[in-house]
Amino acid sequence: MNKAFRLTAAALALAALAACAQQEQGAADAAAPASLDTDAQKFGYAIGVDLGKSLQPVKGDVDIAALKAGLDDAFAGTTPKLDDAAREEIKNSVARKMQERQQAERAEQAAKAQQEGEAFLAENAKREGVKTTESGLQYEVLTEGKGEKPTAEDRVTVHYKGTLINGEEFDSSYARGQPVTFPLSNVIPGWTEGVQLMTPGSKYKFVIPSKLAYGERGAGVKIGPNETLVFEVELISIEKDEAKK
């Protein structure tokens, strides 16, 4: 079941009351501030704000007048016009429609990101100093360090900044003011491959195709499906695998 339908009956009732009050009073009255003199009024208003935010995902799928009718029947104790099975069926049906709509939107987003990423990679490959590995990873040496290169089994300490191809930053250890340490085998394939090209003191710029990043699943809110990612990575130190030592 979609989380939008997991609201309690009381929550929906309060949302319905607020929405219906606005409709029935007209635009002028709806714009007038509610009285917030008593604790009950303040409490009701606070809940109303929370509910309004919670109902945003389904606001286009809800008929407010019908919602008010259901509220009235429940408060009056009359027999609902839809029985338990019918109510559950329609909630599940709308939830499925919402899920299908979201999946279609995500598929469209993924196709667009894939196309834009491929175009970006093609143009970036033409730039002087940019090299492309067999996997499709692109890298550019900004500063060359010295020493031994890490293996996939080692732990590394790095500073980095990550952006989308439009320049929007989604992560940065520089912004946090602290480098990060992690096993090189526990990151996206583009990082595992790319950092193994570096030596301590090096700073590289990587352009990572989606297949070597987070692919169709994306990551969090900022990285959508099939996003090509750009990283500037500074390798600070390597902690060699103890077994190999």
Side-chain angles (χ1 to χ4, degrees):
M1 174 82 61
N2 189 287
K3 66 179 181 181
F5 292 107
R6 294 176 186 167
L7 299 170
T8 64
L12 285 171
L14 286 167
L17 282 173
C20 289
Q22 283 192 338
Q23 285 189 340
E24 292 170 359
Q25 290 172 7
D29 291 338
S35 296
L36 299 176
D37 300 324
T38 68
D39 284 348
Q41 289 171 331
K42 293 175 183 177
F43 181 57
Y45 181 79
I47 293 176
V49 171
D50 291 341
L51 291 172
K53 294 178 180 179
S54 299
L55 286 168
Q56 283 295 320
V58 295
K59 65 179 183 179
D61 297 284
V62 176
D63 183 283
I64 297 299
L67 185 60
K68 174 66 164 54
L71 174 65
D72 289 341
D73 286 348
F75 274 9
T78 59
T79 301
K81 296 177 178 64
L82 297 176
D83 61 20
D84 292 350
R87 296 198 308 275
E88 192 66 23
E89 180 182 356
I90 188 58
K91 287 189 291 183
N92 287 334
S93 175
V94 173
R96 285 193 297 270
K97 290 178 182 178
M98 290 178 62
Q99 185 177 33
E100 290 169 0
R101 186 165 64 236
Q102 291 167 355
Q103 289 173 343
E105 291 171 354
R106 188 170 179 84
E108 183 178 352
Q109 181 185 5
K112 180 181 178 183
Q114 184 70 35
Q115 184 178 20
E116 292 176 346
E118 290 173 355
F120 184 88
L121 286 160
E123 285 300 312
N124 190 65
K126 300 175 185 177
R127 293 177 54 243
E128 184 177 356
V130 174
K131 298 180 180 179
T132 304
T133 69
E134 185 176 348
S135 70
L137 172 70
Q138 293 182 353
Y139 70 96
E140 179 181 358
V141 179
L142 304 180
T143 303
E144 191 63 274
K146 296 181 180 179
E148 189 175 359
K149 296 178 180 180
T151 68
E153 290 75 28
D154 297 334
R155 292 172 61 86
V156 295
T157 298
V158 303
H159 254 315
Y160 70 93
K161 178 179 73 172
T163 66
L164 305 177
I165 59 176
N166 64 5
E168 179 184 348
E169 185 177 300
F170 58 81
D171 194 12
S172 172
S173 65
Y174 294 107
R176 293 190 295 273
Q178 185 174 353
V180 295
T181 301
F182 52 83
L184 198 48
S185 60
N186 285 6
V187 288
I188 58 176
W191 265 71
T192 302
E193 178 184 357
V195 176
Q196 289 184 79
L197 303 173
M198 304 175 70
T199 57
S202 295
K203 186 173 184 179
Y204 281 24
K205 182 177 182 178
F206 298 109
V207 179
I208 303 179
S210 63
K211 66 180 181 180
L212 301 178
Y214 296 99
E216 293 185 356
R217 72 182 186 278
V221 176
K222 295 185 178 181
I223 303 176
N226 289 345
E227 291 280 4
T228 295
L229 305 180
V230 180
F231 285 96
E232 289 186 8
V233 181
E234 178 184 356
L235 179 58
I236 298 173
S237 64
I238 304 169
E239 182 182 332
K240 301 300 292 183
D241 177 55
E242 289 296 326
K244 289 197 172 185
K245 282 184 180 181

